[in-house]
Amino acid sequence: MFNWIKLVERNMRRNLRRTILTILTIALATFIYTVLVSVPASMDRVVKDASGTLRLIISNKTAPWEDLPARYCDDINKMPGVAACVAITGWFATWRDVSEPVFGVGAGPEIGDVFPDYALTGRQREATAKEKRTAIVGEILMRKYGWKIGDTVTLRGTDSDHMEMTFIILGQMASKRYPNTFLMRRDYLMAARKAHGLPDEDIAWNIIVRAASADAMGPLAKQIDEHFANSDAETRTMTESDALSSGLSAIGNIRAIVFALCLVVLLTVLLIAANSTVMMVREQISDVAVMRALGFSRTAVAFLLFGECGAIGFLGGIIGAGAALWMFSGGITLGAALGGNGALWVTPAQTLNALIAALAVSIVSGVVPIFEAVRLPPALAFRKVV
């Protein structure tokens, strides 16, 4: 085994520059492939995590893009099976320029009861009640912009009114489902809207309810929709996981696009690796002839050449997949693409998937030229060299 490894290593150094360039090309393609396959996996992770919550998302039934009266929470809190209710109003803003988007969410003090996974401390709740400018920010958004607890941040709206608001970052949000969210006091947001001439209405993008138990979720959703059936703004109530799935599907068939791009990346690598393998085998025809004349079997020679292909693919895969894991294992915000829902994470599972793909493509690329080389009798192989 040592001699086999030594032969593979020496063959790879035969044309070191081409070997390095091939490895780097495979590494780049593997990096792109790893990130691409992580997109649908990250979406599935967000929806799967949300399936275990007791939350219901309420939106406008007839026009989902329209708002709901925030006062609906008053009636909902009286219904059996309700643990907490909060009205949510969103705000699309930017930090220093348009390349730094921020998805702001205004909510009342009930947000901690509806989202216990935010893990808001008693100190944070007290400070929020005293200072209207306080904000709780998602982990990935904090890391992306380099914010720290205690920083003062000024955001500007993306609408034509260019609404500007200043916040003091009070804490970091613990939830992994909304790591891009910028949580603020809803009354502060509504007051700013009024000051900038926007309609003075107590409206909410969504109303979120936490049920007292899993058994109460179905009956409660039905009761809410029936209660507001004949109102000016009828409701549509669904579970949090269903709402997230609907929101992610609204940005298009991402899964099909990603898989198509992955296929393109793999085919590109296959062609590049095949071209490199053809040149590698052509340079070693004389070596193949000598080994066959000395009594090496076709299988042994093919094993040696495939070993070189596999080593190049493995090294490129390790570099590319490892770089993707190192850069994105902690998650990266996708900005407005997912509307604040989730992020992109590269996990060890996706890294291993990409490494196997790189190794497989490198080996497959050598099938035709290697078999053509080893099937030649030694005499014909020498004549081909001459």
Side-chain angles (χ1 to χ4, degrees):
M1 179 60 69
F2 173 77
N3 291 335
W4 175 78
I5 295 176
K6 194 70 175 178
L7 284 172
V8 169
E9 183 265 333
R10 285 181 176 177
N11 284 340
M12 290 176 64
R13 287 193 288 114
R14 181 188 296 270
N15 193 324
L16 187 59
R17 181 168 57 182
R18 186 180 67 232
T19 299
I20 292 175
L21 289 176
T22 304
I23 290 174
L24 292 179
T25 301
I26 294 175
L28 177 60
T30 305
F31 177 87
I32 297 172
Y33 177 85
T34 308
V35 174
L36 286 175
V37 297
S38 297
V39 173
S42 297
M43 293 180 178
D44 292 341
R45 172 181 173 177
V46 172
V47 175
K48 181 180 179 181
D49 289 346
S51 63
T53 69
L54 300 176
R55 287 189 282 269
L56 297 171
I57 311 297
I58 305 172
S59 58
N60 194 309
K61 178 181 179 180
T62 55
W65 57 88
E66 294 289 343
D67 301 316
L68 288 171
R71 65 177 185 277
Y72 278 10
C73 260
D74 297 335
D75 292 342
I76 294 173
N77 277 321
K78 300 174 184 177
M79 297 179 183
V82 175
C85 178
V86 67
I88 299 291
T89 302
W91 181 45
F92 290 109
T94 61
W95 183 28
R96 291 173 299 198
D97 54 58
V98 294
S99 66
E100 297 174 327
V102 176
F103 179 67
V105 175
E110 308 85 2
I111 189 69
D113 299 322
V114 176
F115 288 84
D117 45 342
Y118 280 2
L120 300 180
T121 65
R123 185 190 64 81
Q124 289 175 338
R125 295 194 186 202
E126 292 176 2
T128 300
K130 294 178 182 178
E131 173 56 66
K132 65 180 182 180
R133 297 181 302 163
T134 54
I136 308 293
V137 184
E139 174 188 1
I140 292 179
L141 193 62
M142 288 271 284
R143 186 169 64 246
K144 177 183 179 181
Y145 295 143
W147 293 337
K148 300 182 296 296
I149 295 176
D151 285 355
T152 299
V153 176
T154 299
L155 302 182
R156 296 166 184 83
T158 57
D159 295 332
S160 57
D161 54 85
H162 299 296
M163 189 169 70
E164 187 173 295
M165 300 179 67
T166 300
F167 302 92
I168 300 172
I169 298 178
L170 178 65
Q172 181 173 294
M173 195 176 299
S175 175
K176 297 295 183 181
R177 281 181 288 276
Y178 301 96
N180 311 314
T181 301
F182 192 97
L183 182 64
M184 66 190 76
R185 278 180 47 164
R186 187 169 168 276
D187 56 351
Y188 181 40
L189 175 62
M190 302 310 292
R193 285 171 53 90
K194 181 180 179 180
H196 283 78
L198 296 175
D200 184 16
E201 298 176 315
D202 192 15
I203 50 92
W205 279 17
N206 297 108
I207 292 175
I208 304 179
V209 177
R210 185 167 68 88
S213 66
D215 294 336
M217 293 183 69
L220 180 57
K222 182 178 179 181
Q223 182 180 3
I224 291 172
D225 290 342
E226 289 178 348
H227 182 81
F228 299 107
N230 297 317
S231 63
D232 293 336
E234 296 186 356
T235 61
R236 180 190 179 195
T237 305
M238 64 183 75
T239 63
E240 184 178 17
S241 60
D242 288 342
L244 286 174
S245 298
S246 177
L248 293 175
S249 64
I251 61 177
N253 193 354
I254 293 294
R255 195 178 302 272
I257 296 173
V258 167
F259 289 152
L261 291 174
C262 288
L263 181 60
V264 170
V265 170
L266 291 178
L267 290 176
T268 302
V269 175
L270 181 62
L271 293 174
I272 294 172
N275 182 64
S276 178
T277 303
V278 167
M279 291 187 290
M280 174 196 76
V281 173
R282 184 180 300 164
E283 290 177 354
Q284 298 185 48
I285 287 292
S286 59
D287 295 342
V288 170
V290 170
M291 293 178 70
R292 293 283 290 114
L294 291 175
F296 283 86
S297 66
R298 287 188 173 92
T299 302
V301 176
F303 190 70
L304 175 64
L305 296 176
F306 277 122
E308 185 173 349
C309 293
I312 291 174
F314 181 77
L315 290 174
I318 283 288
I319 295 172
L325 181 64
W326 174 69
M327 293 177 63
F328 303 127
S329 60
I332 181 173
T333 177
L334 295 178
L338 298 181
N341 298 325
L344 184 146
W345 293 274
V346 172
T347 66
Q350 277 102 49
T351 304
L352 180 61
N353 179 306
L355 178 58
I356 293 174
L359 184 60
V361 167
S362 298
I363 293 176
V364 169
S365 69
V367 170
V368 174
I370 290 175
F371 279 133
E372 286 183 350
V374 299
R375 71 180 177 82
L376 290 174
L380 290 180
F382 277 120
R383 186 178 301 172
K384 204 172 183 68
V385 175
V386 178

